Amino acid sequence: MELYQKKCLGPIQTSIRQGLVSGTGFGLSLFFLFSVYACSFYAGARLVEHDKTSISDVFRVFFALTMAAVAMSQSGLMTPAASKAKSSVASVFAILDQKSRTDPSDESGMTLQEVKGEIEFHHVIFKYPTRPNVLVFQALSLTIHAGETVALVGESGSGKSTVISLLQRFYEPDSGQITLDGTEIQKQYG
């Protein structure tokens, strides 16, 4: 418990600091907003008092200025979100524009008429394209016989789900081969 409380001290102090800054900023913004309201009504009252304008004109101008101020303040609040959205959209389009090494519309491969389920990974070497310096598999060899139940066990990031992704051909191995019923899956279709 003491170790946990010590670990929480930093984030708590950061949150308090952020809360004070946010609260002060929010308070000041409301102060300025209501100060502008007060000044507008005071100036309008003085103009009406000296017969320079009518009450309806004062309220028209006041509401027009209020709507403009609210729109500008809300657009200012959206600026950080807009920049995050812009970078997110750019990364989504970068992913969509990537060319896959596997052409999903290519029908030139062979189709197995009957699948028994013999799976073999033979000296598979693999790195994710987005992390080319991190070797996930170095000469992975694994045989799974038809009808067997196999559990892949390991810590997070050890490659358990990567085995399935390679088998489903979401990725291609850098070297080595993966076979299904003795036929390399890169040569199969369907």
Side-chain angles (χ1 to χ4, degrees), residues 9-163:
L9 284 178
I12 288 172
Q13 290 174 345
T14 302
S15 297
I16 290 172
R17 223 176 289 122
Q18 286 176 344
L20 288 172
V21 169
S22 298
T24 304
F26 184 67
L28 284 173
S29 68
L30 286 179
F31 170 76
F32 288 128
L33 176 68
F34 287 113
S35 296
V36 168
Y37 287 175
C39 290
S40 298
F41 281 124
Y42 177 76
R46 301 298 288 169
L47 290 171
V48 169
E49 182 182 27
H50 294 299
D51 291 328
K52 303 279 183 183
T53 188
S54 67
I55 292 176
S56 63
D57 288 342
V58 169
F59 276 102
R60 267 191 219 133
V61 170
F62 173 75
F63 284 120
L65 290 175
T66 301
M67 294 293 181
V70 167
M72 288 191 314
S73 68
Q74 287 180 347
S75 67
L77 291 174
M78 297 299 167
T79 303
S83 64
K84 287 180 184 176
K86 182 180 175 183
S87 64
S88 297
V89 166
S91 68
V92 166
F93 280 113
I95 290 170
L96 292 175
D97 291 340
Q98 283 181 345
K99 295 293 181 194
S100 175
R101 292 188 343 195
T102 305
D103 182 8
S105 61
D106 182 14
E107 297 187 20
S108 64
M110 71 163 53
T111 301
L112 296 178
Q113 298 303 318
E114 183 181 333
V115 177
K116 290 187 247 172
E118 295 280 333
I119 300 169
E120 185 175 0
F121 284 70
H122 186 69
H123 298 295
V124 172
I125 295 174
F126 177 72
K127 296 178 290 238
Y128 281 105
T130 55
R131 295 183 294 159
N133 298 332
V134 179
L135 190 63
V136 179
F137 294 134
Q138 182 174 355
L140 171 70
S141 292
L142 171 69
T143 302
I144 303 171
H145 298 290
E148 279 187 341
T149 301
V150 175
L152 300 173
V153 180
E155 62 186 25
S156 179
S158 62
K160 301 176 297 293
S161 58
T162 304
V163 169

